[in-house]
């Protein structure tokens, strides 16, 4: 009976592991929002006061998730900045969104400066770091996505150094600019008639190693993190009055019109599926209960 119990529990735990540890996406990302309290060039840090954590309630999975900011039980959070380019972008009093890996604060992998101030100003005007991990939408109905390509001679576990990044800029539902950038290159778009523009610079990056020989199917390890600098000049007369947080699950492919030129597209880093992980936990619980009843 003990052997049966052991084997059943091991099988259940193995099932849980395969559910909750997809390749290259196993470290929890924590996203917070608050007011910039301090930017320190000496310590290379940015501090956010009165932070709230971003989270989504997926319910039964049959309807769109409900996402919101929940106040944290701390007055400030400090983290190192992802790139020195963030130092002149952020100032005390700015509203900002910050993302860290594995816990709150410590090291920011991405930062977004929100337009204006107050609860209604929920669009980003500047982004620094791993922009694919930010849930905030860019101002002006713009979006930037990017996909990195791995250097298979420079891999460690689930990640490799990136040889470059295929960046795309989207305006509304149309891809208006696209280019493969190497480190230090930029993509610029100003093809609309509202005086707005978008500039994206690829600084450095990582890519999943699964496309490289000998790495296929590897699980366990940190997801790839890349470094971009994005700046948007808002359209003339822009006035932000409504909350707009991008729901990645609702995104649809964009078309590319022949009459527009430009570039921008950054694919987000893979994220683990919370609803699927929840089902795995439920499955494990059922298995344990079944074994307990069998023992009784």
């Amino acid at each position: 009976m003990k052997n049966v119990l052991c084997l059943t529990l091991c099988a259940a735990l193995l099932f849980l592991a395969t559910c909750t540890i997809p390749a290259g996406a196993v470290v929890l990302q924590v996203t917070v929002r608050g007011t910039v309290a301090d930017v320190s060039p000496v310590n290379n840090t940015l501090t956010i006061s009165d932070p709230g954590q971003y989270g989504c309630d997926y319910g039964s999975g049959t309807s769109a998730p409900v996402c919101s900011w929940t106040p944290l039980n701390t007055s400030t959070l400090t983290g190192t900045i992802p790139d020195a380019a963030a130092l002149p972008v952020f100032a005390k009093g700015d509203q900002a969104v910050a993302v860290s890996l594995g816990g709150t604060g410590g090291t920011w992998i991405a930062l977004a400066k929100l337009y204006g101030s107050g609860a209604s100003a929920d669009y980003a005007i500047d982004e620094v770091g791993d922009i694919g991990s930010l849930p905030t939408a860019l101002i002006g109905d713009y979006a930037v996505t990017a996909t990195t390509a791995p250097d298979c001679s420079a891999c460690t576990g689930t990640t490799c150094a990136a040889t470059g990044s295929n960046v795309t800029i989207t305006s509304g539902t149309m891809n208006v600019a696209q280019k493969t950038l190497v480190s230090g290159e930029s993509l610029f778009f100003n093809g609309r008639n509202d005086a707005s523009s978008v500039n994206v610079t690829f600084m450095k990056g990582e890519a999943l190693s699964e496309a490289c020989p000998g790495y296929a199917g590897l699980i366990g390890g940190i997801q790839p993190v890349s470094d971009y600098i994005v700046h948007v000049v808002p359209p003339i007369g822009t006035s932000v009055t409504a909350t707009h947080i991008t729901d990645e699950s609702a995104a649809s492919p964009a078309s590319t019109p022949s009459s527009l030129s430009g570039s921008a597209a950054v694919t987000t880093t893979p994220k683990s599926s919370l609803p699927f992980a929840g089902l795995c936990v439920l499955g494990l619980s059922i298995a344990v209960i079944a074994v307990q009843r069998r023992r009784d």
Side-chain angles (χ1 to χ4, degrees):
M1 180 60 68
K2 288 183 178 180
N3 289 338
V4 172
L5 173 62
C6 238
L7 289 173
T8 305
L9 286 176
C10 286
L13 289 171
L14 180 61
F15 174 70
L16 177 62
T18 59
C19 291
T20 58
I21 309 180
V26 297
V27 179
L28 176 68
Q29 293 182 351
V30 180
T31 303
V32 298
R33 172 180 171 169
T35 302
V36 176
D38 181 65
V39 180
S40 174
V42 175
N43 298 318
N44 207 41
T45 58
L46 181 143
T47 300
I48 291 179
S49 63
D50 301 320
Q53 183 173 336
Y54 183 69
C56 297
D57 182 1
Y58 292 87
S60 61
T62 59
S63 58
V66 178
C67 302
S68 60
W69 302 93
T70 303
L72 292 173
N73 188 28
T74 182
S75 59
T76 60
L77 283 175
T78 299
T80 56
I81 60 176
D83 193 287
L87 291 172
V89 170
F90 294 87
K92 186 175 181 180
D94 287 341
Q95 295 297 300
V97 173
V99 181
S100 55
L101 288 180
T104 52
T107 300
W108 305 124
I109 64 167
L111 295 168
K113 178 181 176 179
L114 301 182
Y115 181 74
S117 62
S120 64
D122 292 324
Y123 292 85
I125 193 171
D126 290 283
E127 294 181 340
V128 179
D130 191 64
I131 59 178
S133 63
L134 290 163
T136 339
L138 289 174
I139 200 167
D141 204 18
Y142 283 112
V144 174
T145 55
T147 305
T148 50
D151 177 358
C152 294
S153 66
C155 299
T156 302
T158 54
T159 63
C160 309
T163 58
S165 177
N166 183 19
V167 175
T168 301
I169 297 173
T170 302
S171 172
T173 60
M174 297 181 293
N175 291 340
V176 293
Q178 187 171 4
K179 184 179 180 181
T180 297
L181 305 177
V182 298
S183 178
E185 284 191 328
S186 299
L187 176 62
F188 180 77
F189 172 78
N190 66 343
R192 298 192 335 198
N193 62 358
D194 57 5
S196 66
S197 64
V198 181
N199 190 72
V200 184
T201 303
F202 173 58
M203 302 302 291
K204 59 183 178 180
E206 297 176 334
L208 285 172
S209 61
E210 60 186 8
C212 297
Y215 287 91
L218 187 66
I219 64 172
I222 193 170
Q223 57 264 47
V225 174
S226 297
D227 182 9
Y228 300 85
I229 300 169
V230 178
H231 176 65
V232 180
V233 175
I236 293 176
T238 295
S239 178
V240 180
T241 58
T243 298
H244 184 87
I245 298 295
T246 300
D247 178 9
E248 295 173 7
S249 64
S252 58
S255 59
T256 304
S258 58
S259 61
L260 291 175
S261 62
S263 54
V266 181
T267 39
T268 59
T269 54
K271 297 179 177 64
S272 58
S273 172
L274 294 180
F276 186 50
L279 290 175
C280 295
V281 173
L282 178 60
L284 176 59
S285 301
I286 294 173
V288 172
I289 293 172
V291 170
Q292 185 62 41
R293 287 181 176 177
R294 185 169 181 176
R295 292 183 64 192
D296 294 341

